Amino acid sequence: MLDSVDLTKKIDNKEYKQRLKKMQLQLLGLQRALLDEKIGCILVFEGWDAAGKGGAIKRTTQNMDPRGYEVHATAAPTIEQKQYHYLQRFWNRMPKYGKIGIFDRSWYGRVLVERVEGFTEESAWRRAYGEINHFEEILSNEDYIVLKFWFHISKEEQLERFRDRQNDPMKSWKLTEEDWRNREKWDQYKEAVEDMIFNTSKENAPWHIIEGEDKKFARVKTMEIIIQTLTRKLEDHNVDLSRYIKRKG
């Protein structure tokens, strides 16, 4: 699956700037429509280390009303959180109706990191596919839009980005020993990612693979998918989007 992804896709700087500005304005309008219609939105960002998730989140939210969204950076569960079902800490972070919840890594840690690193038994991570599908089905049945993105880059590109971070005082904090350890298990993570997408990409909560070798292309494609999905879902609710988005320009 991942081997067939075309990582040569690019966008030139002029087109990137034009499309970025236009789409950011569209997202602002759609954000307002979600609020008025009391429809929640959940965006899940997963991907290889240094694949560009943070940059895509930054550009997606750059022109939004900060009162209408919240970004959750997901770390390893705390000792207290481990006393509960693994989905409990995410239930508590679901956005209110009309708002957008953005997850920089998510509940998919159960079938990725926990699987590969042996933090959970095989029977548990295999069972998690069904649990996660049910979790997302509940949300989509209750007026939430669920979108999931996997940011994909090559192993060679990741190494180049790691070295860039290592040599940049402003970015070196992003690179940890854990990142290097994860890289050593690339093939195991690749298998886990492909199983994850195969088992949990559903019509109500689809996975979108983002070609991330060119960061600008990845950002534009991500925003394009969000806009197209929100537009379609809102139109299904008979929302007149001309009140929120200027069609020209």
Side-chain angles (χ1 to χ4, degrees), residues 118-142:
F119 295 151
T120 190
E121 296 180 358
E122 181 174 349
S123 59
W125 62 255
R126 286 192 181 279
R127 186 173 64 247
Y129 295 131
E131 294 170 342
I132 289 170
N133 287 336
H134 185 53
F135 170 60
E136 294 172 349
E137 184 179 16
I138 291 171
L139 293 167
S140 60
N141 285 341
E142 295 291 337

Side-chain angles (χ1 to χ4, degrees), residues 79-137:
I79 294 175
E80 173 67 16
Q81 288 169 338
K82 288 180 180 180
Q83 307 306 309
Y84 299 88
H85 189 275
Y86 69 97
L87 288 174
Q88 190 263 357
R89 64 176 172 143
F90 298 106
W91 269 118
N92 292 341
R93 294 180 175 181
M94 289 301 111
K96 296 178 181 178
Y97 287 121
K99 296 196 175 185
I100 300 171
I102 299 172
F103 291 84
D104 184 351
R105 300 204 183 280
S106 66
W107 42 95
Y108 282 96
R110 171 61 53 127
V111 296
L112 293 175
V113 175
E114 293 186 32
R115 165 183 170 170
V116 174
E117 302 300 333
F119 295 151
T120 190
E121 296 180 358
E122 181 174 349
S123 59
W125 62 255
R126 286 192 181 279
R127 186 173 64 247
Y129 295 131
E131 294 170 342
I132 289 170
N133 287 336
H134 185 53
F135 170 60
E136 294 172 349
E137 184 179 16

Side-chain angles (χ1 to χ4, degrees), residues 3 19 60 78 108 125 136 189 196 204 242:
D3 286 339
R19 294 182 67 182
T60 298
T78 64
Y108 282 96
W125 62 255
E136 294 172 349
Y189 273 103
M196 173 191 76
N204 64 290
S242 65

